[in-house]
Structures are given as C-alpha cells and as structure tokens.
Amino acid sequence: MNIERNRRGFLKKLVALGGVLGLSPFAINRMLGSEIARSEVDMGGDIATMEATMVSTWNHGMVANKAGFGALLNGGSSLDMIEAAARIVEADAEGLSVGIGGLPDRDGVVTLDACCMDHKGRAGSVACLEDIMYPLSVARKVMEETPHVMLVGDGARTFAIDQGFVPTNLLTEKAREAWIKWMETHDYKPVINIENHDTIGMLALDNEGRLSGGCTTSGVSFKMHGRVGDSPIIGAGLFVDGNVGAATATGLGEAVMRTVGSFLVVELMRGGMHPQAACEAAVKRIIDSMDVSELQVGYLALDKQGRYGAHAIHGGFNFALTTANSSDLIDASHG
Ligand code: ASP
C-alpha cells in the first residue's frame, strides 16, 4: 500500500517536473507508461521504449517492419510506416496470403481485403478487390480522398484505377497450381484450418506518439467468391484509438468478426489492461463462445506507451517487434 502511494507520488512529481522542463505531454506520457509497465510482472510486452515501435504479424512482419522504419527515417509518419510495410509484402509474388501471389477463392479469383486507420481515428478500407496489387494503399486513398470508409468489389477496383493504380493479374502460376491441386483433393469445399492464415496486421507508433495500423490479406484461401473476412472490417481485423492503443487480428476472420476482436482488445486497454492481458481476454472470448478445435485466431496489440502484447488460440502464431535498436521475431503465447 505504502509502496503504491509512494509510486503514485513519484509519478505526480514526474509530471510536474516534466512540465517545468518543458517536456511534451507525449514524452511525459511515455515516461509514465514505462513506470506503469515496470510495475507489471509476467505481462508479455516490454517497458516503454521512448522511441518508435512497430509490431507486425508472422514472419513477413520482419521485412515489413524494416520497410516501415525506412519510411520513418525518410520523415514519414506512423501511417507512412504502415503503408510502406504493407507494400513490401503485397508486392512479394512468393507470398501465398497477401497481395500478388495470394491464393485465390474457390473459383480461382484472387480477391484482396485491406484497411488502415490513423491516430485521429480516420479509417479506410477495401474488400473483395480484384486486379490491384496494393490494396492497403487503395484503402488509404479511400480514407484520404473520399467521404467514405469502405469500398468493395467493382466499385473499389474502379476507384483504384481512377486513382492511378494499374490493373495487374494477381494469380501467379504457383497460386494457380495450388488452386488446381486443392480442387482435386478438397472436393470444392473452402479450407478452414489452423495453418491456413497469414494476413499481415501491422501497428506502428512514431516518435511523435502517433499510432496507426493496417491489415492486408488475400483472406482465407479457396473461400467462396465474395467472402470478406475480418481484415478490412474496422473493429474486427484492426482498430486504432490514438489515445489508447491499437490492435490487429489474424486467423479465421469469421471468429474475429463475431466477437469484434480488435475493438474489444482496444476497449480492454482503455479500461487499463496491459496489451498482453487484453489480447488474452479477447482470445478467451472466442474460446468461450465457439468450438475452436479447428480454428486459429491471434491478436497483436500495441498501446500508446509502446507496450505490446500478442496471444493466440493455438501455438504457432508469431510476430515481429522492431524499434530503432532491434528487430526480433517473437512467438506469441497461446491457449
Ligand atoms: N483473417 C483473415 C481472413 O479471415 C485470414 C488470415 O489471417 O490469414 O480473411
């Protein structure tokens, strides 16, 4: 009790001292964040880093974060970090789950979903987008150039072309072969299993304390034509509140949508939870509400103080954590 009172006294003095020294509210906030984080044990995320931080899902998060920090070094904002990170993965024709090269739907058509959100709560999204290589950039255009949040299908494609995006065949030979093989062995039913998800969800905090996020995917492979998952749905695959934190999801979108997962994670952080605890609670919400034996979902979160967390239903989910000093691929907790 006394320790707690002393700590609070220390924090108050820190705020006052920060004001005297002319520190920005952000700098003070980060200092408080580190103090708060230090008081939490066994809670996943690190103490506040006082520097830009980026977390992204899966192995491809490593190259994505590198591109994100490249954008930051060029003077970009956290939203620029997100867009640069997305583009590097979307343009990789070898990747079977994002952008060009993504596995098609059960009719052999590649349809892409993506969204982004910035620290002001502005959001843009595209779903079931065909023939366009950079869906997250199109989502950003929806956010910045239209009064809308979401465009889908032909409307999204036409908008993208109007904005200067070049139509491109997204079905690579490798993806087409996988689709043909799938049709033979899977009797034309969409596959929903725990290995079949590799959306990239990205969360970035820049040196000015601005949080942004993005999510981009070709969705569940061999899905029904027209199926849209959680990834482009604000609140499901991604949610950012610039004053609180950000969260993103990967895995079976239907489970995330039914529990409005990323919004839930951010709301739990708003209530004071550490990002790790918030991810665990959102995963538990899914486990408590449906049979999860055949499905995987993972959440990744980053709060305004730079603390992070990640948790999944099953093992195997990992994420990249990058700051100015280090970049690591970390296995998320699960269960
Ligand atoms: N969440 C994505 C979807 O359901 C899939 C994934 O994470 O790979 O479309």
Side-chain angles (χ1 to χ4, degrees):
M1 201 59 171
N2 275 344
I3 293 172
E4 181 57 21
R5 206 174 306 126
N6 285 343
R7 194 175 72 85
R8 284 182 196 283
F10 166 73
L11 294 178
K12 272 191 183 163
K13 279 183 199 145
L14 195 60
V15 173
L17 182 65
V20 170
L21 294 176
L23 293 177
S24 69
F26 169 64
I28 298 169
N29 190 23
R30 293 298 290 270
M31 290 165 83
L32 288 175
S34 69
E35 182 53 32
I36 291 162
R38 239 177 244 127
S39 71
E40 294 174 8
V41 284
D42 294 327
M43 292 298 284
D46 214 335
I47 60 170
T49 54
M50 300 289 285
E51 62 188 21
T53 303
M54 187 162 185
V55 285
S56 299
T57 57
W58 303 110
N59 294 2
H60 47 202
M62 294 296 280
V63 284
N65 288 2
K66 193 171 170 201
F69 268 78
L72 185 76
L73 284 175
N74 284 332
S77 65
S78 58
L79 187 61
D80 296 323
M81 293 169 78
I82 295 295
E83 185 176 4
R87 288 176 78 94
I88 206 90
V89 180
E90 288 170 340
D92 176 8
E94 289 302 307
L96 292 171
S97 57
V98 177
I100 190 166
L103 291 171
D105 63 24
R106 65 182 190 176
D107 297 346
V109 182
V110 179
T111 65
L112 303 179
D113 298 338
C115 72
C116 62
M117 206 168 170
D118 74 2
H119 66 293
K120 291 184 181 153
R122 298 186 309 160
S125 164
V126 289
C128 211
L129 176 65
E130 293 178 33
D131 304 330
I132 306 292
M133 200 151 142
Y134 298 111
L136 191 137
S137 296
V138 182
R140 183 171 180 176
K141 288 281 184 200
V142 173
M143 177 175 111
E144 292 178 340
E145 307 292 337
T146 81
H148 307 303
V149 167
M150 187 168 195
L151 294 178
V152 305
D154 280 350
R157 183 180 181 278
T158 303
F159 169 75
I161 292 167
D162 287 349
Q163 290 290 321
F165 292 83
V166 181
T168 308
N169 175 20
L170 302 178
L171 185 65
T172 59
E173 197 43 40
K174 185 173 158 191
R176 202 181 71 85
E177 278 167 16
W179 169 61
I180 288 169
K181 186 154 181 258
W182 172 81
M183 280 202 296
E184 286 164 10
T185 54
H186 287 81
D187 196 22
Y188 214 65
K189 284 186 196 132
V191 176
I192 299 172
N193 66 24
I194 61 174
E195 296 95 28
N196 209 20
H197 308 286
D198 272 323
T199 293
I200 184 153
M202 301 148 289
L203 309 171
L205 183 64
D206 63 28
N207 289 315
E208 289 171 46
R210 293 172 298 198
L211 268 173
S212 295
C215 200
T216 177
T217 188
S218 52
V220 173
S221 46
F222 316 127
K223 60 197 174 187
M224 290 176 73
H225 185 66
R227 180 267 188 189
V228 170
D230 60 311
S231 304
I233 306 296
I234 301 300
L238 177 75
F239 194 70
V240 177
D241 183 318
N243 296 316
V244 177
T248 188
T250 182
L252 185 67
E254 282 73 5
V256 177
M257 292 159 89
R258 285 167 60 188
T259 51
V260 202
S262 292
F263 182 71
L264 176 60
V265 172
V266 173
E267 288 309 291
L268 292 170
M269 292 194 288
R270 188 192 308 284
M273 269 194 193
H274 188 283
Q276 178 65 27
C279 289
E280 288 174 15
V283 164
K284 186 170 185 309
R285 184 74 61 93
I286 295 176
I287 291 173
D288 288 347
S289 59
M290 61 193 88
D291 175 9
V292 297
S293 54
E294 293 292 315
L295 70 93
Q296 171 71 311
V297 168
Y299 288 112
L300 179 61
L302 178 67
D303 74 8
K304 171 88 179 155
Q305 288 82 33
R307 302 176 304 171
Y308 64 87
H311 193 71
I313 299 173
H314 303 283
F317 173 44
N318 59 9
F319 64 99
L321 166 71
T322 304
T323 65
N325 303 318
S326 63
S327 201
D328 296 293
L329 194 60
I330 300 173
D331 288 330
S333 55
H334 62 93

